[in-house]
Amino acid sequence: MAWRMPHERDPHERTWMAFPRAGKTLGEGAEHQETAYRAWSETALAIAEFEPVTMVVDPTETARAKNLLGQDVEIYEAPLDEFWMRDFGPTFVIDDERPGVLGAVDWIFNGWGAPAWAEWQVSAGIARIIAAEVGAELVSSVLVNEGGGIHVDGEGTVLLTDTVQLDPNRNPFADKLRVEAELARTIGTEKAIWLPRGLTRDYDDYGTNGHVDIVATFAAPGQVLLHRQDDPAHPDFAVTRDLKTLLENETDAAGRTLEIIDVPAPATLRDAEGFVDWSYLNHLVVNDGIVVCGFGEPAADARAREILEGAYPGRRAVTVDARPIFARGGGIHCITQQQPRVPSQQPGVPEQQPQVAGGQS
């Protein structure tokens, strides 16, 4: 077996999400909770304009999910306690030596380092449930990791951060060589580019301790999109400046020097909790489109769409207000997980069709 994680721009079969449910992440108060239900639903409906979406829904929320999602999003009932699908769901891979075979990496998920507030034990089992439903071969991993902690170029290079995979609350006995060996086995990467850290807000109590998917991603092999904070009053001004210097001196698995495309942050610096980590890097690339985080700043949101459409030629960018998602610790990329379309078994044979059954309603 030679598993490889495709780039997000490669064709998708569908996108998976998880619907919010009562708990610490949802927060208190009906009005505040409603902002989460609507943000997750608006994201799903935006994606559904481009490709199928399957929403995993805890049975306690089925009626609400059906009301908000209508007929445009498929509902799959399964128990949940968290709803950040990128992080506890499967990371899908393909085997270039076995056309038609889909794999699903099941990382160990411990709620971003097992903080006292986290509820994660139930959702940690979702990756195996989804793998079985879509007929994917399970790729079981001993690494504590989340999908938001890695970004790949699809050709052997992975971006990640020292403070996630080497976090002693995740992998106390890991070093870079061990992490890289496990990533080579599970997602097929040959070169790891380690960033020293992520954005400042991500180190708060409800953060992930430095997920890469809010600060940098590959637009294409050899081409990196990078969050840029232009205001010296924000601590991420120095963070993103240093990350750019590092990346400009890196090469990918093919030996290419990286081209860096800056994606400026919106103008807002703070909210009630402190400096924000609002970032357009936390977008999702879908079939023929890009679903982009919006922050209620029309000029900045439009600039981000223009940059991303240029980085992903032939795709149309749409904006979803992501402020309620960021208020809970993440963005659009964090709540979604793409399932790649696998190549056909033989030339002329139709590509594999979606296989979702059982819990569907």
Side-chain angles (χ1 to χ4, degrees):
M1 291 179 292
W3 296 116
R4 178 178 65 85
M5 181 180 174
H7 189 275
E8 215 166 275
R9 69 182 183 280
D10 290 355
H12 296 179
E13 196 68 72
R14 66 179 57 248
T15 289
W16 288 84
M17 296 181 64
F19 196 75
R21 60 148 296 161
K24 195 75 172 179
T25 302
L26 185 64
E28 301 295 331
E31 184 176 351
H32 178 63
Q33 292 173 354
E34 184 65 21
T35 64
Y37 294 126
R38 293 205 171 274
W40 262 253
S41 299
E42 288 167 6
T43 300
L45 292 170
I47 298 168
E49 294 181 23
F50 300 96
E51 64 186 60
V53 180
T54 299
M55 182 77 75
V56 178
V57 180
D58 187 88
T60 62
E61 293 291 352
T62 300
R64 190 193 314 269
K66 287 182 175 180
N67 180 55
L68 288 172
L69 298 171
Q71 301 298 312
D72 295 323
V73 174
E74 196 167 34
I75 288 177
Y76 182 91
E77 286 190 340
L80 294 171
D81 48 12
E82 263 298 351
F83 34 91
W84 303 91
M85 179 60 79
R86 176 70 52 179
D87 291 347
F88 60 73
T91 295
F92 289 106
V93 290
I94 62 175
D95 186 341
D96 293 322
E97 297 175 358
R98 297 185 294 158
V101 175
L102 179 69
V105 182
D106 179 24
W107 313 108
I108 296 174
F109 178 68
N110 72 348
W112 310 279
W117 60 265
E119 301 169 322
W120 47 268
Q121 291 86 348
V122 176
S123 292
I126 290 295
R128 289 175 178 254
I129 292 172
I130 292 176
E133 288 300 330
V134 301
E137 291 189 16
L138 190 69
V139 184
S140 185
S141 178
V142 297
L143 186 69
V144 179
N145 187 36
E146 302 94 38
I150 54 175
H151 256 313
V152 300
D153 67 354
E155 295 187 2
T157 315
V158 60
L159 291 168
L160 66 172
T161 51
D162 294 355
T163 55
V164 172
Q165 288 79 15
L166 302 182
D167 179 0
N169 293 318
R170 286 175 166 100
N171 298 296
F173 305 109
D175 57 26
K176 288 185 177 180
L177 289 178
R178 287 173 175 164
V179 172
E180 289 172 16
E182 180 65 354
L183 294 177
R185 182 185 74 86
T186 53
I187 64 173
T189 51
E190 303 164 6
K191 170 71 181 286
I193 298 176
W194 290 87
L195 307 184
R197 56 164 298 141
L199 299 183
T200 301
R201 180 70 168 263
D202 208 15
Y203 294 88
D204 285 359
D205 288 343
Y206 293 97
T208 69
N209 215 41
H211 270 188
V212 74
D213 73 346
I214 201 169
V215 66
T217 186
F218 288 104
Q223 194 174 70
V224 172
L225 292 160
L226 180 66
H227 178 71
R228 189 182 79 201
Q229 174 53 250
D230 288 327
D231 195 320
H234 196 299
D236 287 335
F237 174 81
V239 171
T240 57
R241 177 196 59 196
D242 293 347
L243 291 178
K244 184 171 184 177
T245 299
L246 182 152
L247 287 165
E248 286 175 333
N249 289 281
E250 277 284 357
T251 56
D252 65 12
R256 288 172 290 229
T257 300
L258 301 176
E259 176 192 355
I260 312 301
I261 301 172
D262 290 322
V263 185
T268 301
L269 297 183
R270 303 181 68 99
D271 63 9
E273 304 299 322
F275 287 107
V276 298
D277 57 354
W278 293 359
S279 169
Y280 297 108
L281 265 295
N282 204 261
H283 56 272
L284 179 70
V285 183
V286 293
N287 296 337
D288 301 320
I290 316 147
V291 183
V292 187
C293 297
F295 301 103
E297 298 184 20
D301 291 353
R303 177 181 60 188
R305 288 193 300 272
E306 182 179 359
I307 293 171
L308 294 176
E309 286 181 341
Y312 304 106
R315 286 179 160 86
R316 176 171 61 90
V318 298
T319 295
V320 174
D321 188 348
R323 287 173 292 182
I325 310 176
F326 273 78
R328 291 167 171 84
I332 285 172
H333 196 257
C334 304
I335 66 173
T336 57
Q337 181 60 270
Q338 69 278 359
Q339 178 186 333
R341 187 179 304 157
V342 296
S344 302
Q345 293 272 8
Q346 300 171 356
V349 176
E351 291 179 336
Q352 179 174 307
Q353 297 300 308
Q355 301 178 46
V356 179
Q360 186 177 323
S361 62

